[in-house]
Amino acid sequence: MQLARVIGDVIATRKDENLHGMKLLVLQPITADGSPAGRTLVAVDSAGAGIGETVFFVRGKEASFPFYPTEVPTDAGIVGIVDRWDLG
Amino acid sequence: MQLARVIGDVIATRKDENLHGMKLLVLQPITADGSPAGRTLVAVDSAGAGIGETVFFVRGKEASFPFYPTEVPTDAGIVGIVDRWDLG
Amino acid sequence: MQLARVIGDVIATRKDENLHGMKLLVLQPITADGSPAGRTLVAVDSAGAGIGETVFFVRGKEASFPFYPTEVPTDAGIVGIVDRWDLG
Amino acid sequence: MQLARVIGDVIATRKDENLHGMKLLVLQPITADGSPAGRTLVAVDSAGAGIGETVFFVRGKEASFPFYPTEVPTDAGIVGIVDRWDLG
Amino acid sequence: MQLARVIGDVIATRKDENLHGMKLLVLQPITADGSPAGRTLVAVDSAGAGIGETVFFVRGKEASFPFYPTEVPTDAGIVGIVDRWDLG
C-alpha cells in the first residue's frame, strides 16, 4: 500500500455499470517523508475519504475486495484514512 | 486507474479467440494536469470510447471483469469516459 | 497490453513442467511511434508469432488464460499479431 | 519478493474492516547491497516484524494469502524476517 | 518473464509457514544483451537453480502456481534454467 493525498475527483457519466455510484478520487502518492512520489491516479473509496485527506490505498485486484460480491473493475482503492505515521 | 487519451487503434486479424470482436485502442496515459505520463499501451474497451476521448482505464486482471464469464486475455481496459475532473 | 517486436527465443530444457512444449520468445516492447520502450522480456505465445513480427502481449496472470485449464506459470504472453496500427 | 527495512508504522482508525487489528508498517525497500531502492510503502505483517528489522515482503494479492479466509485488502505484506543474506 | 542471474540466497528462520523449506534466492534481472537491468529481488525456486546460473523467473501470483495446492505467499519464482538464448 502507499500513502497518498486526495487531490481531486473525476466525473464520468458513461462508465462500467459496476462503477456506478462509486466515488472516483484523484490521488497523489507520497513517500514517508510526505513528498509527492509518482504519478497521480484515480481510485475508488471504501473508507469515506474526502479531498485534502491523507490516505493509504491498495493497487491491483485487492482494490475490489471491499465491494464483494460485486466485481468492481478497479485497480486502485482507498482502504484507510491516515491519522498519522511515525518513523522509528 | 489512470486517466488517458485515446490516440489510435490496432488492427490484428490473428489473435487469441477471446479477443475476437474486441476493439483494441491505443492509449496515452495522462496525469491530473493533463500532460502525457508513461508509455502508450493497448486496451480493450467496455465503455464505448472513441479516438480523441479522455477516459480512465484499469490495469491487470480487473480489465477482464466486464467481459465475464469470457476470460479475455487482457491487462488493460477502458472502464469509463471522463466528463471532467476537478482538483480541489 | 503493449506492442512489441519478437527479437529472439530462449532454450531451456530444465523448466516447470507446465512450460514444456511452450515456445519462449524474447520481446522488445515498443511505443505507438515504433521506438523501443522498456526492458526485453520472455513471453509464451498463443498466437503463432515468429521472430521479426510485431505483436501485442499481455502481462500478469492473464497471460496464462489461453492455456486453461493448464496453470502455466507465466506473467507474459503474446495474444495477437499486429497487422498495423493507426494513430488518429 | 524484496528485501526492506522496517522504518515506521501507520496509525489509522478509519479503515477497511478487514484491516482492523492489523499492524501497518512503513518499509524502505533495499537492494542486495543494502542500499535503499525505490519508494517507501505500507505493508501488513504476518511474521512478527518490528521497527528496525530487515525483512522480505511480497507485493500483490499474495500479500493477503497468510490471512485466508479473510480477504484482507492489501497489496504488500511482510512474510519473513531476514537473518542474513549471502552473495555467492 | 525475465532473464536473471542467481547471485545469492537469503536465510530467514522466522517466515510464513508456507515458505518453510523453500529455497530463497537473490536474483539480478538481466536484459537480452546480458547486462543487469533493474533491482535485485528474492525469488522461490521450482526449477532446481543454483547460485551462478542464468534463469528466467515469473512475477506475481503465477509464481506460486508450481506449489499448488499450497498457497505460497510469493510474488517471484524461478520457473526455468536457461541453456541459451538466441537473438534473431
Side-chain angles (χ1 to χ4, degrees), chain B residues 19-80:
Chain B
L19 286 170
H20 278 280
M22 300 256 168
K23 198 164 41 168
L24 298 169
L25 296 174
V26 182
L27 303 187
Q28 171 60 62
I30 60 176
T31 57
D33 65 6
S35 56
R39 294 174 199 147
T40 52
L41 67 152
V42 179
V44 297
D45 174 38
S46 66
I51 293 178
E53 284 189 294
T54 300
V55 299
F56 59 98
F57 68 98
V58 62
R59 291 184 191 268
K61 186 182 192 317
E62 306 82 292
S64 65
F65 284 11
F67 306 102
Y68 274 176
T70 304
E71 288 278 23
V72 177
T74 184
D75 59 8
I78 297 169
V79 289

Side-chain angles (χ1 to χ4, degrees), chain A residues 43-65:
Chain A
V44 297
D45 174 37
S46 66
I51 293 177
E53 284 189 295
T54 300
V55 299
F56 59 99
F57 69 99
V58 63
R59 291 184 190 267
K61 186 180 191 319
E62 306 83 293
S64 65
F65 284 10

Side-chain angles (χ1 to χ4, degrees), chain D residues 19-58:
Chain D
L19 285 170
H20 278 280
M22 300 257 166
K23 198 165 41 167
L24 297 169
L25 295 174
V26 182
L27 303 186
Q28 171 60 62
I30 59 175
T31 57
D33 65 6
S35 55
R39 295 174 199 148
T40 52
L41 68 152
V42 179
V44 296
D45 174 38
S46 65
I51 293 177
E53 284 188 295
T54 300
V55 299
F56 58 99
F57 69 99
V58 63

Side-chain angles (χ1 to χ4, degrees), chain A residues 7-16 19 24 26 39-42 44 51 60-61 71-76, chain B residues 1-3 31-32 37-38 46 53 56-59 61-62 65-66 68 79-88:
Chain A
I7 63 167
D9 55 10
V10 172
I11 310 300
T13 48
R14 288 174 293 164
K15 60 192 169 198
D16 187 274
L19 285 169
L24 297 169
V26 182
R39 294 174 200 147
T40 51
L41 67 151
V42 180
V44 297
I51 293 177
K61 186 180 191 319
E71 287 279 22
V72 177
T74 184
D75 59 8
Chain B
M1 295 169 286
Q2 280 185 280
L3 301 169
T31 57
S46 66
E53 284 189 294
F56 59 98
F57 68 98
V58 62
R59 291 184 191 268
K61 186 182 192 317
E62 306 82 292
F65 284 11
Y68 274 176
V79 289
I81 298 170
V82 174
D83 297 325
R84 69 169 203 277
W85 70 90
D86 301 306
L87 301 183

Side-chain angles (χ1 to χ4, degrees), chain C residues 33-88:
Chain C
D33 65 5
S35 56
R39 294 174 199 149
T40 51
L41 67 152
V42 180
V44 296
D45 174 38
S46 65
I51 292 177
E53 284 188 295
T54 300
V55 299
F56 59 98
F57 69 98
V58 63
R59 291 184 191 267
K61 186 181 191 316
E62 306 83 294
S64 64
F65 283 10
F67 305 102
Y68 274 176
T70 304
E71 288 277 24
V72 177
T74 184
D75 59 8
I78 297 168
V79 289
I81 298 169
V82 174
D83 297 325
R84 68 168 204 278
W85 70 90
D86 302 306
L87 301 183

Side-chain angles (χ1 to χ4, degrees), chain B residues 6-27:
Chain B
V6 183
I7 63 167
D9 55 9
V10 173
I11 310 300
T13 49
R14 289 173 293 164
K15 60 191 169 198
D16 186 273
E17 63 180 4
N18 283 336
L19 286 170
H20 278 280
M22 300 256 168
K23 198 164 41 168
L24 298 169
L25 296 174
V26 182
L27 303 187

